[in-house]
């Protein structure tokens, strides 16, 4: 009987040791399982990050292809637009240099006017290309002019041609204090930037030619230029009821050669140049994505320091 008790105790001891060994192995397995879960979570997170990166790369690739296509279209368009006035000038030159050719006063005036108009067209196109080449510069522009903000607004409106555009009504709204506000800026460059924004509003508030041909109902177009004080900045706010810009395109629209609607004429560089100028003057131009006009349209805000 004593031998049986001793044997039983030894058996219990072995069982206890086996249990402790199993418990220890279980703890190790549990830790390994937890580590595996953490590793799985990290792998899943990495997979989602890679998937998101791939999607961003795909978007970037498509935009790069789009930019390349638009750049090609821009070069083709500029080449065509330069060739046309050059051909006209060549025709006028042949008229003027033809031996024995006598022109009456009316014809001489017509030829002179044609030469001026087409020379200005070529100059404007060359200036556009020079502005585009300068658009990626980060160099600050000299600000040596102290001018009323209303002067910048008035000159930009005249330069853009929006005041005489037959398809729209244009209004200028002076916010509180802006009628006497002074800007320390570069008058020529500030005017140029704002005129490009106004030109964009003028262009895209005009009904597309395809809609006119189809006999679609054409709404009355309106553009408002409103001046407002914003801390130490003056805001030139341009609102229109044209085709509008989707919120997701708020940055893309400022990239070179981007045109969201190919039914409208344009080179796709106006907003690029305008924002470059504004930033180099210490300000900025943004698309206000909170703009909610029942008639549609867009609101661009150009700010310049006082």
């Amino acid at each position: 009987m004593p031998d049986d008790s001793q044997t039983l105790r030894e058996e219990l001891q072995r069982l206890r040791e086996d249990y402790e060994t199993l418990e220890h192995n279980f703890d190790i397995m549990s830790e390994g399982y937890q580590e595996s879960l953490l590793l799985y979570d990290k792998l899943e997170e990495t997979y989602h990050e890679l998937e998101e990166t791939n999607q961003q790369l795909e978007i970037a690739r498509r935009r790069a292809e789009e930019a390349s296509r638009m750049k090609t279209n821009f070069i083709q368009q500029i080449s065509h637009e330069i060739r046309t006035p050059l051909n006209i000038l060549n025709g006028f030159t042949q008229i003027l240099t033809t031996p024995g050719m006598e022109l009456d006063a009316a014809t001489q005036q017509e030829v002179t006017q044609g030469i001026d108009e087409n020379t200005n067209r070529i100059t404007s196109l060359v200036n556009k290309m020079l502005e585009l080449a300068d658009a990626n510069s980060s160099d600050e522009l000299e600000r040596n002019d102290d001018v009323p903000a209303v002067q910048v607004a008035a000159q930009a409106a005249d330069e853009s041609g929006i005041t005489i555009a037959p398809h729209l009504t244009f209004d200028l709204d002076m916010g509180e204090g802006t009628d006497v506000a002074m800007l320390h800026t570069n008058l020529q460059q500030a005017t140029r930037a704002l005129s490009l924004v106004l030109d964009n509003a003028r262009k895209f508030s005009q009904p597309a030619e395809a809609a006119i041909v189809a006999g679609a109902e054409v709404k009355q177009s309106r553009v408002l230029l409103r001046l407002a004080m914003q801390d130490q900045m003056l805001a030139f706010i341009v609102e229109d009821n044209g085709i509008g810009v989707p919120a997701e395109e708020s940055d893309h629209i400022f990239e070179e050669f981007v045109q969201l609607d190919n039914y409208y004429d344009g080179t796709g560089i106006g907003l690029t140049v305008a924002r470059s100028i504004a930033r180099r003057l210490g300000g900025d131009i943004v698309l206000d994505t909170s703009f909610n006009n029942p008639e549609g349209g867009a609101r661009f805000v150009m700010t310049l320091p006082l």
Side-chain angles (χ1 to χ4, degrees):
M1 192 70 177
D3 291 339
D4 292 340
S5 298
Q6 180 63 28
T7 301
L8 182 59
R9 281 196 297 273
E10 291 175 354
E11 186 65 28
L12 287 174
Q13 180 63 30
R14 283 195 299 270
L15 288 173
R16 186 178 295 109
E17 291 174 355
D18 290 342
Y19 174 77
E20 290 175 351
T21 301
L22 287 172
E23 187 177 34
H24 177 68
N25 291 337
F26 179 79
D27 289 341
I28 294 175
M29 290 176 60
S30 179
E31 289 176 2
Y33 176 71
Q34 293 296 328
E35 291 177 357
S36 297
L37 285 178
L38 290 174
L39 180 60
Y40 176 80
D41 290 341
K42 288 181 179 179
L43 288 172
E44 188 174 31
E45 183 179 349
T46 302
Y47 170 78
H48 288 311
E49 289 176 353
L50 287 173
E51 190 175 46
E52 184 177 347
T53 300
N54 287 335
Q55 291 175 351
Q56 292 174 349
L57 288 173
E58 176 63 19
I59 293 173
R61 182 188 66 79
R62 291 177 182 174
R63 288 189 171 178
E65 290 179 351
E66 181 185 8
S68 177
R69 177 182 61 81
M70 289 180 172
K71 184 176 182 179
T72 301
N73 291 341
F74 169 77
I75 293 172
Q76 292 174 345
Q77 182 178 351
I78 289 293
S79 299
H80 171 73
E81 291 190 15
I82 288 180
R83 193 179 300 114
T84 299
L86 281 176
N87 289 336
I88 295 174
L89 288 174
N90 183 52
F92 286 141
T93 301
Q94 290 181 7
I95 293 174
L96 294 174
T97 58
T98 300
M101 176 71 70
E102 294 185 2
L103 304 176
D104 57 37
T107 303
Q108 288 181 1
Q109 183 179 359
E110 181 181 349
V111 169
T112 301
Q113 182 179 349
I115 290 174
D116 287 342
E117 289 178 353
N118 286 280
T119 300
N120 290 335
R121 282 182 63 186
I122 293 175
T123 302
S124 175
L125 291 168
V126 171
N127 286 338
K128 279 186 177 180
M129 289 187 285
L130 291 175
E131 285 179 328
L132 179 60
D134 199 39
N136 293 321
S137 173
S138 58
D139 295 338
E140 291 188 4
L141 294 168
E142 290 186 357
R143 293 185 285 163
N144 299 321
D145 302 319
D146 292 302
V147 295
V150 66
Q151 181 179 346
V152 174
Q155 289 185 199
D158 289 340
E159 185 177 310
S160 69
I162 201 167
T163 56
I164 58 174
H167 71 279
L168 61 80
T169 57
F170 173 72
D171 292 306
L172 175 62
D173 178 28
M174 306 294 296
E176 183 179 357
T178 60
D179 55 334
V180 294
M182 298 290 293
L183 293 174
H184 182 68
T185 189
N186 182 312
L187 176 59
Q188 180 181 359
Q189 295 293 340
T191 299
R192 179 59 176 161
L194 182 56
S195 71
L196 288 169
V197 179
L198 289 171
D199 183 65
N200 183 77
R202 177 192 60 78
K203 186 187 308 176
F204 291 103
S205 62
Q206 184 171 355
E209 184 178 349
I212 298 175
V213 172
E217 183 180 353
V218 177
K219 64 183 178 182
Q220 177 62 39
S221 298
R222 290 187 293 275
V223 175
L224 170 67
L225 170 57
R226 180 160 47 89
L227 275 60
M229 306 293 291
Q230 292 185 358
D231 297 327
Q232 297 302 310
M233 310 287 282
L234 192 136
F236 297 87
I237 304 166
V238 179
E239 299 177 0
D240 66 67
N241 64 339
I243 64 173
V245 181
E248 61 271 18
E249 300 287 348
S250 59
D251 286 327
H252 187 215
I253 194 66
F254 289 100
E255 296 175 7
E256 297 175 359
F257 316 116
V258 171
Q259 288 181 274
L260 300 183
D261 194 323
N262 292 326
Y263 286 103
Y264 288 82
D265 293 332
T267 55
I269 64 173
L271 290 177
T272 304
V273 172
R275 186 169 68 170
S276 172
I277 293 173
R279 288 181 172 179
R280 293 166 67 196
L281 289 173
D284 203 356
I285 298 178
V286 298
L287 173 71
D288 184 356
T289 56
S290 67
F291 182 58
N292 186 17
N293 186 354
E295 294 183 323
R299 176 193 286 152
F300 286 88
V301 181
M302 173 176 132
T303 53
L304 292 176
L306 294 171

